Amino acid sequence: GVVQQLLTMARKTEANLEPTDLNAVMSSLVDLVKGTFPKNIAVKLDLAAGLPMVMADPNQINQALLNLCVNARDAMPNGGCLTLRTSCADAGLLDNGNATGEDAVAVEISDSGTGMDEKVRERIFEPFFTTKDAANGTGLGLSVVYGIVKNHRGQIDVTTAPGAGSAFRILIPIGKQEFDEQDEPHANGTGKHNGRYATALVVEDEETMLHLLRNLLAERGYRVLTAIDGEEATARYRRNGDDIDVVLLDLDLPKISGAEVLRNIRARNPDARVVVTSGYLEPALKSALAREGVSRFVHKPYMPQEIIAALEDAPEPEHAGESAI
């Protein structure tokens, strides 16, 4: 978790952009905050009607806003008021040249807590800077927020004073052109392979995830076969391999590992198109899988369009060599 925060802080992780309703993100966040924060903190939600969508990574944005809310909670040890607000904004307020001609959405997290003096305010986004004791803070929270905002070509500022609380305001450009390019990826070739609708074998041991993937791909025009463990996946491919155009394979499977399933698939069809999913892949294993002819890798947790893009972009493999895993 700390490594992921450091990468985000250093802007070494890419944002997976999709059309995002920040009002919906804020509403979900309020539900979480009300259920977990002390009851002596009143939570208010002020959402602008008709707020435009932005191109954003909902997971990263939610992480940034949650970090701000936690900081606000810590600044009100005796209770107070936490306000979450959205509004439309002028992108001319953004200090980067990429936002020229765009509108923006503003998200504000404000509290009635202890506030900060000017010396602290100037340093709050520095990595590892914290006013909390060692048991209660790492100094990474606001640095991560800053990295996420910059990943979105946005801007963050804070208004604060000792005893007067703090208000953090984030501006995110809307990026209308990006909507046109990314809103409906692969719309013309959806679910097709060599001019016909494709058959996908989805191998996933989490039943809820398997159900979601089956519905997602069916909506995109795929014929979907499923397997919930490595043994079933091997048997399914042995029976239906001639009809399967692409395999979505989770590596962490019961009974037979994903790596073994891949070897079994390759033994039957060296040219099989395989997309591998995993929470984390050691570099050596990833290299071995690539030598085995894996077409694409998708890291968990993933967004639906990542799976669609991986399945539809997965190239026909060059013949894999001898087994490397």
Side-chain angles (χ1 to χ4, degrees):
V2 171
V3 169
Q4 189 63 35
Q5 290 187 69
L6 289 168
L7 290 171
T8 302
M9 177 187 68
R11 287 184 276 164
K12 297 298 184 183
T13 56
E14 294 183 0
N16 297 312
L17 302 180
E18 63 176 279
T20 301
D21 181 356
L22 291 183
N23 277 351
V25 173
M26 292 283 267
S27 296
S28 297
L29 183 60
V30 163
D31 290 340
L32 173 64
V33 167
K34 285 182 175 180
T36 56
F37 280 20
K39 300 303 180 184
N40 61 357
I41 295 179
V43 181
K44 296 182 179 180
L45 183 62
D46 180 12
L47 302 179
L51 194 73
M53 305 274 276
V54 298
M55 291 301 297
D57 183 325
N59 292 328
Q60 287 194 7
I61 292 294
N62 190 70
Q63 180 187 1
L65 297 178
L66 182 58
N67 284 359
L68 293 177
C69 287
V70 169
N71 274 8
R73 178 203 64 189
D74 295 343
M76 299 182 287
N78 300 316
C81 182
L82 172 65
T83 302
L84 295 83
R85 180 178 292 112
T86 62
S87 61
C88 294
D90 181 359
L93 299 173
L94 292 164
D95 62 359
N96 64 66
N98 295 328
T100 303
E102 296 176 354
D103 294 323
V105 168
V107 178
E108 185 175 302
I109 307 290
S110 61
D111 65 71
S112 60
T114 55
M116 297 172 279
D117 60 30
E118 185 61 22
K119 288 184 178 179
V120 172
R121 191 196 70 80
E122 290 177 350
R123 299 190 61 192
I124 56 173
F125 296 118
E126 292 180 13
F128 304 109
F129 174 78
T130 181
T131 58
K132 303 174 185 178
D133 58 45
N136 293 316
T138 62
L140 286 174
L142 288 177
S143 297
V144 169
V145 172
Y146 185 85
I148 289 171
V149 172
K150 292 305 178 182
N151 270 349
H152 288 77
R153 298 184 296 118
Q155 179 178 310
I156 182 170
D157 57 34
V158 58
T159 302
T160 186
S166 302
F168 286 83
R169 190 167 188 255
I170 296 172
L171 293 181
I172 303 292
I174 293 174
K176 295 176 182 176
Q177 183 177 357
E178 293 181 64
F179 274 98
D180 297 335
E181 295 173 355
Q182 299 187 33
D183 197 18
E184 292 293 336
H186 308 285
N188 293 328
T190 296
K192 290 192 174 182
H193 179 65
N194 294 333
R196 62 178 176 81
Y197 284 98
T199 296
L201 172 61
V202 178
V203 187
E204 169 62 60
D205 67 316
E206 294 183 29
E207 290 191 23
T208 300
M209 183 62 69
L210 187 65
H211 177 74
L212 291 171
L213 288 169
R214 180 173 54 206
N215 289 345
L216 171 70
L217 297 182
E219 289 174 0
R220 302 287 294 195
Y222 284 88
R223 175 174 176 255
V224 183
L225 305 177
T226 62
I228 202 163
D229 58 51
E231 191 174 89
E232 184 180 359
T234 297
R236 176 78 77 171
Y237 198 86
R238 186 177 295 119
R239 291 194 305 269
N240 305 104
D242 291 340
D243 300 321
I244 294 172
D245 299 296
V246 63
V247 179
L248 181 64
L249 175 65
D250 183 25
L251 278 189
D252 188 15
L253 295 172
K255 297 187 178 180
I256 298 177
S257 71
E260 182 65 26
V261 172
L262 177 62
R263 282 194 288 266
N264 293 335
I265 290 173
R266 283 280 174 261
R268 191 189 188 289
N269 179 10
D271 294 323
R273 297 164 66 236
V274 180
V275 174
V276 162
T277 69
S278 179
Y280 176 72
L281 281 174
E282 292 283 354
L285 177 57
K286 189 171 183 178
S287 296
L289 290 169
R291 291 195 298 272
E292 195 72 14
V294 171
S295 305
R296 288 282 297 273
F297 300 92
V298 180
H299 292 279
K300 292 183 175 181
Y302 45 68
M303 301 301 293
Q305 61 268 33
E306 292 181 76
I307 293 297
I308 296 298
L311 293 178
E312 295 180 2
D313 292 344
E316 301 284 353
E318 297 180 5
H319 285 284
E322 295 182 1
S323 177
I325 51 177

